């Protein structure tokens, strides 16, 4: 008998009157994967994320449309996984940015993105790479890009460390509480 690991269980409305706002706010919050102490998650929704003492999350802000995220399915021979991916673009070059990119090239992070859509507070924030982390899989740099992009950074799941589900939602009681929880993770400037 074949193992049945996924059964649908709900009627869904996949459209509404009026257009949904798709896209991502021009920021990405990165957390070193090894800095995560604990995660409280139920049914794909993270309600709490605790970092180890003395560690922080870091916010990278950029221009509108300069952050992208995706999670294509990877149908394996035996199991199905998802490849989480976040792309962000930098339009300035400083030594601090270069230092952080050099560290990121050898690191593993988790990325929190903020969706523009107002369809659901529960899915306003999503966490990419929560289980296995994201690594830098591509870095494009150009000195003559027509749009002024200095660095285009791609963070992805590794081929041997894909994720078991779509990105987890980050939602703690209500949107205000969720944003307070995320802000509490950040390194203060």
């Amino acid at each position: 008998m074949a193992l049945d690991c996924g059964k649908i269980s709900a009627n869904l409305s996949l459209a509404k009157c009026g257009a949904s706002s798709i896209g991502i706010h021009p920021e990405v919050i990165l957390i070193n994967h090894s800095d995560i102490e604990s995660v409280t998650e139920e049914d794909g929704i993270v309600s709490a994320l605790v970092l180890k003492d003395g560690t922080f999350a870091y916010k990278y802000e950029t221009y509108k449309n300069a952050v992208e995220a995706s999670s294509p399915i990877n149908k394996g021979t035996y199991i199905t996984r998802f490849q989480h991916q976040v792309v962000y673009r930098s339009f300035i070059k400083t030594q601090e940015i270069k230092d952080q990119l050099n560290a990121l090239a050898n690191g593993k992070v988790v990325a929190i993105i903020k969706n523009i859509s107002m369809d659901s507070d529960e899915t306003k924030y999503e966490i990419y790479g929560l289980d296995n982390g994201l690594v830098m899989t591509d870095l494009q740099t150009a000195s003559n890009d027509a749009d002024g992009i200095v660095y285009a950074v791609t963070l992805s799941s590794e081929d041997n460390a894909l994720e078991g589900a779509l990105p987890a939602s980050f939602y703690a009681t209500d949107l205000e509480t969720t944003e307070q929880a995320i802000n509490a993770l950040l390194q203060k400037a």
Side-chain angles (χ1 to χ4, degrees):
M1 176 171 22
L3 187 61
D4 189 358
C5 296
K7 296 184 87 159
I8 60 173
S9 62
N11 296 317
L12 301 173
S13 176
L14 303 176
K16 66 177 190 171
C17 295
S20 289
S21 298
I22 60 170
I24 299 170
H25 283 269
E27 64 187 38
V28 59
I29 296 170
L30 298 180
I31 304 168
N32 291 305
H33 192 264
S34 61
D35 289 347
I36 297 173
E37 180 75 33
S38 66
V39 176
T40 303
E41 181 178 1
E42 186 176 330
D43 297 329
I45 299 175
V46 170
S47 59
L49 191 109
V50 178
L51 301 181
K52 293 176 182 173
D53 286 341
T55 64
F56 300 96
Y58 302 94
K59 185 188 289 188
Y60 289 28
E61 297 176 296
T62 188
Y63 289 140
K64 180 180 176 184
N65 299 323
V67 177
E68 301 172 23
S70 62
S71 51
I73 196 167
N74 183 311
K75 294 292 267 184
T77 303
Y78 305 105
I79 56 176
T80 299
R81 295 280 184 234
F82 295 85
Q83 181 179 19
H84 292 190
Q85 181 172 295
V86 173
V87 177
Y88 69 89
R89 294 165 182 85
S90 174
F91 297 84
I92 52 178
K93 182 188 286 192
T94 66
Q95 189 58 47
E96 183 178 27
I97 291 170
K98 288 172 61 176
D99 290 345
Q100 293 303 310
L101 289 174
N102 283 327
L104 195 53
N106 296 299
K108 186 178 284 193
V109 296
V110 169
I112 300 175
I113 60 98
K114 182 178 181 182
N115 291 303
I116 291 173
S117 173
M118 294 301 292
D119 292 336
S120 169
D121 286 349
E122 284 184 336
T123 57
K124 187 72 171 173
Y125 290 91
E126 290 182 302
I127 307 172
Y128 285 74
L130 183 60
D131 293 338
N132 297 310
L134 306 173
V135 296
M136 185 187 293
T137 55
D138 193 29
L139 173 64
Q140 298 293 319
T141 181
S143 60
N144 61 350
D145 184 83
D147 287 331
I149 299 169
V150 178
Y151 300 111
V153 180
T154 303
L155 305 171
S156 296
S157 305
E158 293 180 280
D159 288 339
N160 62 350
L162 299 175
E163 300 289 315
L166 291 168
S169 299
F170 193 154
Y171 183 73
T173 311
D174 56 44
L175 191 55
E176 181 179 347
T177 305
T178 302
E179 291 180 341
Q180 288 172 353
I182 291 170
N183 287 331
L185 299 171
L186 293 169
Q187 168 73 44
K188 305 305 179 227

